[in-house]
Amino acid sequence: MMFAGGPLGTGSQWFSWIHLDDLVNLICESLANPSYKGVINGTSPNPVRLSEMCDQLGQVIGRPSWLPVPDFAIKAVLGEGASIVLEGQRVLPAKAKELGFSYEYPYVKDALKAIVREL
């Protein structure tokens, strides 16, 4: 609303993401295809740094993304849970890729554009 927003903390933490359509297709494929066994990470094959996610989102919606939320504010709100947000995780869909799953939105900019078009 104030036309300001940005990454949490430094923004250098990894951010694994997936478009809803790809997640639904991955779940359907794993239920229909008997070769999908065990743990299959429901993430895009291209995780990004949180700062890139914020930049891409700002570009797609036409808003600036320059004001980061400081670490201490995240820690005050989330306590020990802040480490998950501030450190991030780089989760890759190794098994889905190995099984040949095809993503409709493998890149964050394309996924965000599709989401904004749907709004």
Side-chain angles (χ1 to χ4, degrees), residues 40-113:
I40 299 174
N41 293 327
T43 64
S44 159
N46 299 299
V48 295
R49 301 282 184 172
L50 187 57
S51 58
E52 181 182 348
M53 172 64 85
C54 293
D55 288 344
Q56 294 290 341
L57 180 58
Q59 287 178 21
V60 167
I61 64 172
R63 302 277 205 258
S65 177
W66 59 271
L67 185 63
V69 179
D71 291 7
F72 72 86
I74 303 295
K75 291 175 184 173
V77 173
L78 299 178
E80 291 180 23
S83 63
I84 294 169
V85 173
L86 295 172
E87 294 170 18
Q89 291 184 336
R90 187 171 191 251
V91 180
L92 297 170
K95 194 163 197 172
K97 286 178 70 175
E98 176 186 312
L99 292 166
F101 181 75
S102 179
Y103 290 84
E104 188 173 344
Y105 302 102
Y107 298 101
V108 71
K109 189 169 192 170
D110 297 332
L112 291 170
K113 283 181 180 179

